[in-house]
């Protein structure tokens, strides 16, 4: 073992924590500590410059070239180019060098321009003015000159120039309000707290006199975590140590609001600020199409090597005859005869590699990048995905996964804020077994927004007794016979005090007096909608939370008296504990610990109270889909509180494992509660959430809900959003089941159930909704999942996982409840890495969903009310869950169709391009003679055939977007990478080979010993190659035109324009003697070729023969084995062509006219419009005018006149 490592380990575990903790010490105001206090060790920290740029002026060229040549295709063409320079090759180095130079230059210009914009933005930030304190005075300097330890002053509406520890504020209570929109997207104002010992310093002189040091952790990117402590020195006494947390840290990029000014000390500057550390990009995700491209590239590379190898072998076999190897007109020189045979063969092999290298399309990568980049704007520009309520539209954080949206097999979705609105409304609370509803019943009608209480006894016995009493007697009987008033008031006080809600500043609140309107509703602000709903609900029940002032919380009781409680401690909510607590001291000195949290977190810690009644009410509310919280309390003596304070102080001052130590302290303190009651809050389902899930299931996508809510609440939401249906058989894999049976027995019983129903065959991943087979829904909780994932005693957990996966495969939908954030990611990873390797998508709106969003193939964040952590870490962001339908079924479908055609087409046109060159070697003695001119070799992929496929890949719509939304089943036609499978790849390759054979041998037969010119001359080699190339360019362009379904003027322009450009270029290239060329073998070749009538006829004939097999295949497949997409296309076309304004009604009986797929965008009309149809009769046949037949489905019934039509068409006068 290395001695230095051993010393490090010994010092860590023997010398104590403080000697090895990875921390930094900051001297506030650069003032040394008092003599004898501690050693002054100056440290070096970076300045405050922000550098988001990637390159500098000096390293741009080498660094950019290095990064570009790391791509396998670019590196390959560089090698080919170098080979052309080194050895004697049949083609000019320009043919490989120019396309490569074009690709490299375009990419470098794009990246250079983007980096120049970054430099420009950096300079604007780094030169902005900042105010800081120097020698008791306020000095102004540039932001980039700020150093760690400087004391900075920030004014209202200014952004913080670096990460600051909050020292003091212009507000008397030492608080300030901050918005962090630029960091996490949360627009609500957050409250931050100054250090207790420095908050009284309000001017420059007082702050400059501060003697303190700060110890804190080294920079790390978590925006919501900070660990540190401040030591404040007073007159050479022992320093006072105070803990520092995230509530004391003001982050760079955040903005000061509603506070005149603050003072803070810089602790992280420049690239060490949390904002800068979050610049780092997420791990690179690769789409299935990109993986297929790489596989195809390897296949074609093997084909290229095989071609070169075959030609090399055949060359030496053909030259084995002496008269062929050394003909009389081409005698070998002496050096050639002495040359090593193997070296010569290797050189020939490289020459053939150069000759055939165009089968690898270097320009394809540039085209794909441009298609992805430009195509991503179609999502951002989609007006249907813009939410007017929030003013938000879709965001594209990466364009690399556009086509992956069309390949999704599993959708993992959060519940709260994703399926639901996260707009909480207080419904009721249960205290000591009695239910309180914030409304009044008057004459049988419910008066909402009242300040009274409707109390209902939840016990069944009293419910039976009260049936015989009048309504008004029931109410007063329950009111008088309710629980002790003390418990009731404690419950209301607990909800008024146990929260982190802020009251928006209002003069009426600050100057509130008893004789003023005390019930005027306050405006509450919180990052949690649940807390706001609870505080507002309790306000309607008579208790109003007023404000937090100078560490005292003020509430207004039913008697309009203000009660003040000193806030002693806050135990913040976290997803592991699933609860929060506060310790407060009343005005008479009583100390209370109030706690609220999930029932699973509170009930095990309760020692007394009406547990059974409250639990029954909680379960009932959960079944109805309400979100429930339990409330408990305990009294603390002064001695107990002192012990609590000591434990908390010790944990808070720790720089190592502070969170773990705090959790241990919370666990000790939050015990032996007295249960007060529970609350119920309703979170309504989002608009069209059920419709979206139904459409996804019809598309063959399995939808899983992963939530931290309790099982009953989540199950009710799943039924509401149609994830579970009435005929769905629910299978439970929960802790309760496992307690009754062993995990092994439960898993095997469920496995037998699903296999028995499906005849021992697992359902296909794309089963969707089926009427023939039983639909199963699985419910699993977090504890059961932990047991499944936990390794067994024999050291493996694979068996249980496989059984669990088999059960999931046969279930239409799965609900995972009581899930921790990491368990959500664990579920996604489990499915992602299963043997089918399905494409997964995770969607959520909160920070607890980030882990699964990053784990899935595609991560989508919902821009919700829980901040933008999910949106920031996602690949795409949408305003509402309903927009997922269009994103997948329309955008994803079309993106996949477009890019799959782009990839296949590129390889196809390059096979057409190079295979004639391969065939030509058999007719030129394998002499490596090129068939095409150098200009054609260079410009084929760059100019002649590039723009049409790029425009196709941006604009193609094989089916209208409305049809794709209406027919989700069409999504299955492209599922599982259907268009890039081996079968499709082989078809395109063989189509390219067939077309190449037609080009070559068709031109060969046309020109072989045939007089095709008027003067009796015979065409030569370059004319032969030009004929082949002309047929090639026209055929591959017409092939793309045949595949195009959606024509715009842009498509017409680029397709026909590229053909015109080829002709014009050929005329100019061969019609002018260019002075910069040493030789011009194409002079007058193209004009002479066009002067021949047989060549014109041959070109037309060869193009027709080349395209014929593909056309026949399309026609036969559409008629005999049509896909769902082709049936829809045919029906849509039939509707457009054959339904006229006067159509026989009997014809409308045909199913194809009743198809909902024959619609364009439906006409807008009011529901109040009557529905009329204009009839006419001609020659005894009824006809009707159908002005909106495409917008609505048709209904028919038989009348005496034949078929009668009634539809919801637009109003039409007769």
């Amino acid at each position: 073992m290395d001695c230095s490592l051993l010393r490090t380990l010994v010092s860590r575990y023997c010398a104590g924590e403080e000697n090895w903790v990875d921390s930094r010490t900051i001297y506030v105001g650069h003032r040394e500590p008092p003599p004898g206090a501690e050693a002054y060790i100056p440290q070096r920290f970076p300045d405050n410059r922000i550098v988001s740029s990637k390159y500098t002026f000096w390293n741009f060229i080498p660094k950019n070239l290095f990064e570009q040549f790391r791509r396998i295709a670019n590196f390959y063409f560089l090698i080919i180019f170098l080979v052309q320079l080194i050895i004697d090759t049949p083609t000019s180095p320009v043919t490989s060098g120019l396309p490569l130079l074009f690709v490299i230059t375009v990419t470098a210009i794009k990246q250079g321009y983007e980096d120049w914009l970054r430099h420009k933005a950096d300079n604007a930030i780094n030169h902005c003015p900042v105010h800081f304190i120097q020698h008791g005075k306020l000095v102004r300097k540039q932001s980039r000159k700020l150093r760690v330890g400087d004391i900075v002053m920030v004014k209202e509406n200014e952004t913080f120039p670096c990460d600051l520890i909050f020292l003091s504020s212009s507000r008397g209570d030492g608080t300030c309000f901050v918005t962090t929109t630029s960091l996490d997207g949360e627009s609500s104002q957050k409250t931050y707290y100054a250090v207790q010992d420095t908050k009284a310093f309000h001017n420059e002189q007082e702050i400059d006199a501060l003697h303190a040091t700060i110890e804190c952790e080294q920079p790390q990117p978590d925006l919501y975590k900070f660990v540190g402590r401040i030591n404040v020195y007073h007159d050479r006494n022992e320093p006072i140590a105070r803990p520092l947390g995230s509530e004391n840290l003001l982050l760079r990029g955040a903005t000061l609001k509603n506070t005149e000014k603050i003072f803070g000390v810089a602790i992280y500057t420049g690239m060490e600020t949390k904002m800068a550390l979050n610049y780092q990009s997420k791990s690179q995700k690769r789409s299935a199409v990109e993986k297929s491209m790489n596989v195809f590239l390897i296949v074609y590379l093997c084909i290229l090597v095989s071609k070169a190898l075959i030609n090399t072998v055949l060359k030496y076999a053909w030259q084995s005859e002496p008269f062929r190897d050394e003909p009389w007109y081409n005698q070998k020189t002496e050096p050639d005869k002495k040359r090593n045979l193997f070296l010569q063969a290797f050189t020939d092999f490289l020459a053939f590699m150069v000759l055939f290298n165009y089968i690898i399309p270097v320009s394809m990568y540039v085209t794909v990048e441009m298609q992805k980049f430009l195509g991503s704007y179609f999502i951002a520009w989609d007006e249907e995905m813009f939410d007017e309520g929030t003013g938000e539209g879709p965001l594209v954080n990466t364009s690399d996964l556009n086509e992956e949206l069309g390949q999704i097999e599993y959708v993992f979705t959060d519940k709260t804020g994703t399926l639901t609105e996260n707009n909480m409304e207080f419904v009721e609370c249960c205290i000591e077994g009695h239910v309180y509803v914030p409304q009044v019943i008057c004459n049988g009608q419910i008066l909402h927004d009242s300040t009274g209480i409707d109390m209902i006894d939840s016990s069944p016995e009293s419910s039976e007794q009260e049936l015989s009493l009048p309504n008004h007697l029931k109410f007063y009987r329950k009111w008088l016979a309710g629980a002790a008033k003390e418990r009731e008031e404690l419950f209301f006080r607990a909800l008024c005090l146990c929260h982190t809600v802020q009251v928006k500043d209002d003069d009426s609140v600050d100057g509130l007096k008893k004789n003023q309107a005390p019930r005027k509703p306050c405006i509450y602000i919180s990052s949690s909608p649940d807390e706001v709903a609870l505080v507002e609900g309790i306000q309607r029940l008579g208790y109003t939370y007023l404000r937090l002032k100078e560490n005292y919380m003020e509430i207004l009781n039913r008697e309009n008296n203000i009660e003040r409680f000193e806030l002693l401690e806050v135990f913040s909510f976290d997803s592991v504990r699933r609860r929060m607590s506060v310790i407060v001291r009343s005005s008479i000195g009583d100390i209370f610990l109030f706690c609220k949290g999930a029932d699973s977190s509170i009930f095990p810690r309760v020692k007394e109270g009406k547990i059974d009644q409250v639990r029954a009410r909680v379960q009932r509310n959960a079944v109805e889909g309400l979100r429930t919280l339990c409330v408990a309390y305990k009294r603390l003596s002064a001695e107990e509180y002192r012990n609590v304070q000591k434990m908390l102080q010790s944990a808070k001052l720790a720089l190592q494992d502070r969170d773990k130590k705090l959790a241990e302290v919370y666990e000790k303190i939050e015990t032996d509660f007295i249960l007060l009651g529970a609350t119920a809050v309703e979170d309504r389902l989002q608009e069209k959430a059920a419709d979206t899930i139904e459409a996804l299931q019809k598309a063959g996508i399995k939808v899983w809900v992963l939530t931290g809510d309790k099982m009953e609440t989540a199950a009710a939401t799943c039924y509401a959003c149609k994830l579970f249906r009435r005929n769905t058989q629910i299978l439970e894999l929960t802790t309760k089941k496992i307690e009754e049976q062993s995990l092994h027995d439960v898993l095997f019983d469920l496995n037998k159930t699903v296999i028995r129903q499906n005849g021992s065959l697992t359902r296909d991943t794309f089963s969707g909704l089926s009427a023939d087979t039983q639909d199963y829904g699985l419910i699993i909780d977090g504890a059961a999942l932990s047991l499944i994932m936990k390794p067994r005693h024999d050291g493996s957990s694979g068996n249980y996982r496989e059984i669990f996966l088999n059960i999931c495969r046969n279930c239409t939908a799965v609900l995972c409840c009581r899930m921790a954030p990491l368990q959500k990611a664990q579920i996604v990873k489990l499915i992602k890495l299963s043997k089918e390797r399905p494409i997964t998508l995770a969607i959520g709106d909160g920070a607890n969903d980030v882990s699964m969003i990053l784990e899935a193939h595609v991560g989508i964040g919902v821009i919700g009310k829980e901040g933008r952590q999910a949106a920031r870490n996602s690949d795409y962001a949408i305003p509402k869950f309903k927009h997922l339908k269009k994103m997948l079924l329309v955008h994803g479908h079309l993106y996949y169709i477009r890019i799959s055609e782009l990839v296949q087409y590129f390889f196809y046109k390059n096979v057409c391009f190079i295979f004639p060159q391969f065939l030509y070697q058999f007719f030129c003695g394998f002499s490596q003679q090129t068939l095409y001119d150098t200009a054609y070799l260079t410009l084929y992929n760059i100019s002649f055939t590039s723009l049409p496929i790029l425009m196709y890949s941006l604009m193609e719509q094989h089916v209208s977007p409305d049809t794709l939304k209406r027919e989700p089943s069409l999504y299955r036609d492209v599922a599982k990478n259907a268009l890039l499978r081996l079968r499709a790849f082989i078809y395109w390759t063989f189509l390219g080979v067939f077309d190449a054979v037609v080009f070559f041998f068709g031109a060969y037969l046309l020109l072989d010993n045939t007089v095709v010119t008027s003067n009796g001359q015979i065409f030569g080699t370059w004319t032969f190659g030009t004929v082949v190339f002309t047929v090639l360019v026209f055929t591959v362009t017409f092939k793309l035109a045949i595949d195009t379904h959606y024509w715009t003027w842009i498509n017409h322009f680029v397709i026909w324009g590229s053909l015109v450009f080829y002709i014009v270029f050929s005329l100019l290239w061969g019609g002018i003697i260019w002075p910069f060329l040493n030789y011009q073998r194409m002079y007058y070749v193209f004009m002479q070729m066009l002067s021949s009538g047989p060549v014109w006829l041959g070109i037309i004939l060869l193009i027709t023969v080349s395209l014929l097999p593909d056309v026949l295949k399309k026609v036969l497949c559409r008629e005999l084995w049509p896909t769902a997409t082709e049936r829809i296309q045919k029906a849509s076309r039939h509707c457009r062509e054959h339904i006229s304004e006067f159509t026989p009604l009997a014809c409308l009986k045909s199913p194809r006219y009743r198809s909902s797929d024959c619609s364009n965008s439906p006409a807008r009309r009011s529901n109040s419009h009557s529905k009329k149809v204009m009839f006419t009769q001609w020659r005894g046949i009824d006809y009707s005018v159908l002005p909106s037949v495409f917008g609505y489905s048709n209904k028919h019934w038989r009348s005496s006149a034949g078929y009668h039509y009634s539809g919801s068409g637009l109003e039409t006068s007769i």
Side-chain angles (χ1 to χ4, degrees), residues 41 63 263 299-300 422 608 912 937 1007:
I41 307 173
K63 190 173 181 180
F263 292 102
V299 170
Y300 273 85
N422 205 12
E608 63 178 275
C912 293
L937 284 170
L1007 303 179

Side-chain angles (χ1 to χ4, degrees), residues 921-961:
Q921 297 307 303
F922 289 85
F923 294 85
C924 67
F926 306 99
S927 60
Q928 299 151 13
Q929 169 65 34
T930 179
L931 177 63
Y932 311 117
D933 180 62
T934 301
Y936 291 157
L937 284 170
T938 306
L939 298 178
Y940 176 71
N941 279 316
I942 294 178
S943 301
F944 299 148
T945 59
S946 57
L947 275 180
I949 185 59
L950 177 61
M951 289 300 109
Y952 174 96
S953 64
L954 289 173
M955 312 192 74
E956 171 64 1
Q957 294 180 15
H958 64 304
V959 178
S960 70

Side-chain angles (χ1 to χ4, degrees), residues 418-439:
T418 304
L419 292 178
T420 60
E421 291 182 349
N422 205 12
N423 188 13
M424 310 299 176
E425 182 179 344
F426 185 85
V427 177
E428 67 173 42
C429 60
C430 173
I431 308 172
E432 291 283 302
H434 297 82
V435 179
Y436 295 70
V437 181
Q439 55 201 22

Side-chain angles (χ1 to χ4, degrees), residues 413 418-419 686 689 692-693 843 880-885:
T413 174
T418 304
L419 292 178
Q686 274 197 22
T692 301
I693 287 181
I843 177 171
K880 297 286 185 183
F881 181 77
K882 66 179 181 180
H883 299 133
L884 184 65
K885 177 180 177 181

Side-chain angles (χ1 to χ4, degrees), residues 180-472:
T180 56
T181 309
S182 61
L183 294 172
D184 57 13
E186 294 187 28
S187 57
S188 60
Q189 294 181 13
K190 299 185 178 70
T191 306
Y192 287 80
Y193 303 91
V195 177
Q196 190 72 21
D197 298 86
T198 63
K199 68 179 184 180
F201 300 160
H202 294 299
N203 57 52
E204 293 81 358
Q205 291 75 23
E206 291 175 343
I207 283 286
D208 191 51
L210 175 63
H211 226 138
T213 60
I214 294 174
E215 296 172 81
C216 62
E217 62 187 357
Q218 293 292 354
Q220 51 96 3
D222 192 338
L223 296 175
Y224 311 100
K225 182 182 177 184
F226 174 72
V227 176
R229 64 178 171 229
I230 183 170
N231 301 305
V232 182
Y233 298 92
H234 294 287
D235 301 326
R236 297 199 177 187
N237 295 329
E238 280 296 314
I240 299 174
R242 299 288 184 189
L244 298 175
S246 57
E247 70 277 5
N248 310 115
L249 181 66
L250 304 173
L251 300 178
R252 176 173 194 148
T255 306
L256 184 66
K257 294 288 184 181
N258 292 335
T259 309
E260 184 183 341
K261 64 179 180 179
I262 64 101
F263 292 102
V265 57
I267 60 165
Y268 303 134
T269 53
M271 297 308 293
E272 290 187 342
T273 58
K274 289 183 180 288
M275 184 179 76
L277 293 175
N278 277 276
Y279 286 157
Q280 297 170 2
S281 59
K282 303 178 289 293
S283 59
Q284 189 71 22
K285 295 181 179 179
R286 295 171 59 213
S287 68
V289 170
E290 189 177 346
K291 294 173 185 175
S292 297
M293 282 171 55
N294 292 336
V295 172
F296 295 166
L297 186 68
I298 292 171
V299 170
Y300 273 85
L301 197 57
C302 294
I303 292 173
L304 171 62
V305 172
S306 302
K307 280 183 176 181
L309 199 59
I310 290 170
N311 275 264
T312 304
V313 172
L314 291 178
K315 175 179 181 177
Y316 284 91
W318 188 79
Q319 290 180 352
S320 59
E321 297 291 335
F323 66 92
R324 290 176 177 169
D325 184 31
E326 195 175 1
W328 60 269
Y329 55 85
N330 191 16
Q331 296 289 325
K332 286 185 178 181
T333 61
E334 200 61 33
D336 288 337
K337 292 179 180 179
K338 293 180 180 180
R339 217 171 153 196
N340 185 283
L341 182 63
F342 291 103
L343 182 61
Q344 190 174 353
F346 181 70
T347 304
D348 286 330
F349 172 77
L350 291 178
F352 280 118
M353 286 281 289
V354 169
L355 188 63
F356 303 140
N357 81 84
Y358 297 96
I359 198 171
I360 307 295
V362 65
S363 58
M364 179 180 70
Y365 287 91
V366 177
T367 309
V368 167
E369 289 294 330
M370 292 175 66
Q371 191 270 346
K372 288 183 176 183
F373 175 72
L374 296 174
S376 63
Y377 283 99
F378 292 136
I379 293 179
W381 291 338
D382 193 334
E383 294 181 355
E384 290 184 20
M385 295 175 68
F386 181 83
D387 184 62
E388 294 182 357
T390 60
E392 299 282 357
L395 301 174
V396 180
N397 296 328
T398 176
S399 60
D400 293 335
L401 302 172
N402 294 341
E403 64 278 5
E404 201 82 332
L405 295 170
Q407 295 296 295
I408 303 302
E409 300 172 51
Y410 281 84
V411 168
F412 300 92
T413 174
D414 177 42
K415 183 182 79 69
T416 305
T418 304
L419 292 178
T420 60
E421 291 182 349
N422 205 12
N423 188 13
M424 310 299 176
E425 182 179 344
F426 185 85
V427 177
E428 67 173 42
C429 60
C430 173
I431 308 172
E432 291 283 302
H434 297 82
V435 179
Y436 295 70
V437 181
Q439 55 201 22
V440 174
I441 298 179
C442 179
N443 296 327
Q445 293 186 346
I446 298 176
L447 305 180
H448 291 280
D449 298 325
S450 302
T451 56
I453 302 173
D454 179 21
M455 187 178 73
I456 306 168
D457 196 328
S458 64
S459 59
E461 294 82 1
S462 59
S463 298
E464 292 172 3
Q465 293 172 7
E466 69 187 6
L467 290 175
S468 58
L469 294 174
N471 285 339
H472 64 283

